[in-house]
Amino acid sequence: MKVTVFGCGYLGATHAACMAELGHEVLGVDVDPQKVERLNSGELPFYEPGLSDVLRRGIDSGRLSFTTDSAEAADFARVHFLGVGTPQKKGEYGADLRHVHSVIDDLAPRLHGEHLIIGKSTVPVGTARELGARARLAAQPDAAITVAWNPEFLREGFAVDDTLHPDRIVLGLNADDTDTRTESIVREVYAQILDEGIPFLVTDLATAELVKVSANAFLATKISFINAISEVCEAAGADVTMLADAIGHDARIGRRFLNAGLGFGGGCLPKDIRAFMARAGELGAPQALTFLREVDSINMRRRAAMVDLATAACGGTLLGANITVLGAAFKPESDDVRDSPALSVAGQLQLKGATVSVFDPKAMDNSRRVFPTLNYANSIVDAARGADAVLVLTEWNEFVHLDPAEVTPLVRRTNIIDGRRCLDRKAWETAGWTYRALGGTPALLPTVTANTLVRG
Ligand code: UGA
């Protein structure tokens, strides 16, 4: 099939490359000429494991190319995916739909004949219906434009796998539309994926839009739940990691997304819960999502708690302290620093008088752009020189497995602070470090191996 993908950010570029991988002919469209040029030369404008190979394969096969020209896209295909960003509005909780609107306004008048626009961006409920009306209003008399919604659930760091082997595919259709052609087209686009037995759920437009934001709101709630429990664990001297393991064995709860620590960031969860609250208010259901305000505030409190922990480690003041921050990306296997908890903490420490040296394996360029005033080191070793405290704020593998002996000779004081509860407390303490963890210090218990346990 021939398809276009509007928007070539994380979502759009991944979707375009993966659609080509499935054998479709794909034209990606973006307003940024530099991005388009890089993508056409097989270069990704961001880091995403495995995606470079998929992109190159698509380009080499001749099935994948990118353009800034929406007229070319209008002529290229009858199926158009919409994957542009919907960031948080400046100074407000709601989503900024500027990019979504501009794609429709630009594309719709150029279409002739039957066209299907499949939205993938995360949008406030009601947007898809509104975009359908907007497209039809701008359409030529000989054009018939349908708008459907097919939310995307990919995670950064696993984007290729999540796109080619998703947990489910959700398709929202206009409830007034009795035609089954839209569903058939989408089934054809995803035929290879559906052959694997992936659940395919057809809903109305509003439900499809809400599925996406509800999923992100649930994940955010799960993280803030365990972080709230970690505050109690810390006060009670209990171990929140063991607690999460124990409750996670209950299949109704599940262990995933119960990692306590510095909390969630990134370009999705924080802005999505805020936009969801704003939309619920607009719809006259303001009380329904007030708990998300608490979810947000628990999450932001983790950042403040991390600053407090670092201050305590430095003897009560950050003035004149040298702090090493390991990690800047909002999570490992990503170079994304949008609303990154790690960078936010680094910035706050600097504002309180510390000299902060940051190192991240992939996110250095993006961090420099957002926070040019922090010091950026070339390596862990470089970052750790003269430190009064070393903070691990993103759980990259090379930080998790860092040998304390490697950094001991470099630092001024041996304080390690585990913001993601990912380090081996015993290894650090054995090497002579003072270990602190966000959410309370994990217990060191004498353990008995299973086969020496005598029961009953
Ligand atoms: C999230 C969702 O997981 C995807 O399903 C969704 O498609 C995507 O948003 C989106 O809307 O586009 P992503 O932003 O890539 O994906 O990141 P997550 O893996 O969800 O992690 C979000 C944040 O939560 C990270 O900062 C991570 O460190 C934190 N986190 C995650 C925790 O603090 N604890 C956990 O147990 C898990």
Side-chain angles (χ1 to χ4, degrees):
M1 287 179 81
K2 284 184 139 190
V3 302
T4 72
V5 180
F6 280 79
C8 296
Y10 277 98
L11 193 168
T14 306
H15 193 68
C18 289
M19 290 303 102
E21 184 82 351
L22 290 177
H24 301 307
E25 277 182 59
V26 186
L27 183 61
V29 191
D30 201 284
V31 291
D32 180 346
Q34 276 178 343
K35 195 186 275 182
V36 164
E37 198 184 314
R38 285 178 74 178
L39 286 164
N40 271 327
S41 62
E43 201 191 316
L44 269 183
F46 52 86
Y47 173 71
E48 178 59 43
L51 186 55
S52 278
D53 293 345
V54 180
L55 176 73
R56 283 221 184 84
R57 269 201 297 280
I59 285 167
D60 292 348
S61 71
R63 287 196 304 274
L64 177 61
S65 59
F66 297 87
T67 183
T68 52
D69 185 356
S70 49
E72 190 188 341
D75 293 339
F76 181 83
R78 290 182 176 277
V79 176
H80 309 278
F81 285 100
L82 181 61
V84 292
T86 52
Q88 188 176 334
K89 273 187 198 158
K90 286 216 160 59
E92 282 178 54
Y93 267 13
D96 182 349
L97 297 177
R98 198 178 333 180
H99 305 304
V100 178
H101 287 155
S102 97
V103 171
I104 298 292
D105 296 348
D106 191 25
L107 178 64
R110 300 180 193 276
L111 302 177
H112 300 278
E114 282 186 28
H115 285 259
L116 173 59
I117 298 176
I118 307 173
K120 293 201 74 67
S121 310
T122 303
V123 290
V125 59
T127 303
R129 173 176 277 272
E130 186 247 318
L131 292 181
R134 194 176 178 118
R136 282 185 285 277
L137 207 64
Q140 302 295 338
D142 66 344
I145 306 172
T146 304
V147 171
W149 221 258
N150 167 223
E152 179 57 62
F153 303 103
L154 70 79
R155 297 159 296 169
E156 289 180 23
F158 303 90
V160 173
D161 212 43
D162 284 350
T163 305
L164 295 175
H165 310 282
D167 296 331
R168 74 295 207 188
I169 292 175
V170 174
L171 175 64
L173 300 177
N174 194 332
D176 307 334
D177 196 353
T178 50
D179 196 341
T180 56
R181 254 179 308 177
T182 301
E183 183 182 338
S184 305
I185 293 169
V186 175
R187 281 187 180 275
E188 200 181 330
V189 171
Y190 294 132
Q192 269 188 58
I193 296 174
L194 293 172
D195 280 350
E196 289 180 9
I198 304 294
F200 185 82
L201 294 99
V202 180
T203 70
D204 55 275
L205 289 173
T207 305
E209 293 166 314
L210 279 175
V211 165
K212 167 68 196 195
V213 282
S214 306
N216 276 2
F218 188 83
L219 294 171
T221 304
K222 212 172 169 189
I223 298 168
S224 277
F225 171 83
I226 201 65
N227 280 330
I229 298 294
S230 83
E231 291 181 2
V232 182
C233 284
E234 198 163 5
D239 184 332
V240 70
T241 308
M242 284 181 183
L243 179 148
D245 290 344
I247 64 171
H249 279 296
D250 184 332
R252 294 170 303 173
I253 296 172
R255 178 64 179 83
R256 294 172 75 187
F257 270 68
L258 280 184
N259 292 324
L262 197 49
F264 59 83
C268 302
L269 299 193
K271 66 115 174 142
D272 285 354
I273 59 169
R274 291 169 194 158
F276 200 10
M277 282 187 268
R279 188 66 184 133
E282 285 167 8
L283 289 170
Q287 284 179 322
L289 301 180
T290 47
F291 73 96
L292 287 179
R293 206 175 286 278
E294 192 56 29
V295 166
D296 203 355
S297 97
I298 294 166
N299 193 51
M300 300 313 277
R301 212 151 67 213
R302 304 320 295 149
R303 303 177 186 189
M306 189 67 210
V307 173
D308 290 347
L309 211 50
T311 311
C314 293
T317 176
L318 289 166
L319 282 175
N322 291 338
I323 307 267
T324 301
V325 166
L326 298 181
F330 84 105
K331 68 173 188 180
E333 297 305 329
S334 170
D335 64 354
D336 197 342
V337 297
R338 285 177 294 172
D339 201 357
S340 165
L343 260 195
S344 154
V345 166
Q348 290 180 50
L349 292 169
Q350 191 194 40
L351 286 174
K352 288 182 179 263
T355 302
V356 183
S357 189
V358 181
F359 175 70
D360 187 282
K362 294 287 177 198
M364 299 301 273
D365 290 345
N366 286 342
S367 304
R368 269 193 202 100
R369 268 192 288 275
V370 176
F371 252 116
T373 53
L374 294 169
N375 300 319
Y376 292 97
N378 295 320
S379 62
I380 298 176
V381 165
D382 189 16
R385 264 194 202 102
D388 293 300
V390 175
L391 278 50
V392 174
L393 302 187
T394 312
E395 66 277 35
W396 285 95
N397 251 329
E398 60 189 276
F399 304 153
V400 174
H401 301 295
L402 179 62
D403 181 358
E406 206 184 313
V407 271
T408 305
L410 306 167
V411 300
R412 192 153 70 179
R413 286 150 78 188
T414 46
N415 283 309
I416 180 87
I417 311 186
D418 187 353
R420 293 287 178 180
R421 308 183 65 83
C422 60
L423 303 178
D424 181 348
R425 173 184 169 191
K426 206 169 173 186
W428 285 89
E429 286 184 345
T430 309
W433 287 66
T434 304
Y435 173 93
R436 292 173 175 85
L438 197 58
T441 311
L444 283 181
L445 296 175
T447 47
V448 181
T449 55
N451 51 8
T452 60
L453 264 178
V454 182
R455 291 192 191 280

